[in-house]
Amino acid sequence: SMDYAKEVYEALREKMIRCELDTRNEKIGYKIREAQTQKIPYMIIVGDKEAENGTVSVRTRAGGDEGSMQVEDFIAKLGEEVATRAK
């Protein structure tokens, strides 16, 4: 699933979305808690299930689990938010 994570990362970067890829060999809960303390607005979690389905599992900093969505849908959601904020 690391290959898939890299694909998602590249797809986000292509759309000029600032993102980081955490490849450390740490437990997922640890990575999530650390991202929350760093005030990262969105975390996308990918594993074998997401790689199979072409989806990402989305969490917000506020701790909200947004569920799974297609990568394109997540990118579109971010684009809408940026456009709304720019007004």
Side-chain angles (χ1 to χ4, degrees), residues 2-42:
M2 191 53 74
D3 288 342
Y4 179 62
K6 288 176 182 162
E7 280 178 39
V8 172
Y9 173 76
E10 292 301 332
L12 292 167
R13 300 277 301 197
E14 273 177 29
K15 298 291 184 186
M16 309 302 279
I17 296 167
R18 195 174 65 202
C19 56
E20 293 174 28
L21 178 60
D22 190 344
T23 58
R24 295 172 305 158
N25 194 16
E26 298 282 357
K27 287 191 167 65
I28 194 72
Y30 174 82
K31 290 182 181 184
I32 289 170
R33 281 191 303 278
E34 197 172 66
Q36 284 172 327
T37 60
Q38 291 175 12
K39 305 227 183 307
I40 293 170
Y42 284 102

Side-chain angles (χ1 to χ4, degrees), residues 40-44 58-61 66 74 77-78 81:
I40 293 170
Y42 284 102
M43 290 159 268
I44 55 176
V58 180
R59 294 182 65 90
T60 61
R61 179 177 72 214
E66 305 261 314
F74 179 65
K77 174 184 167 65
L78 291 180
E81 282 188 20

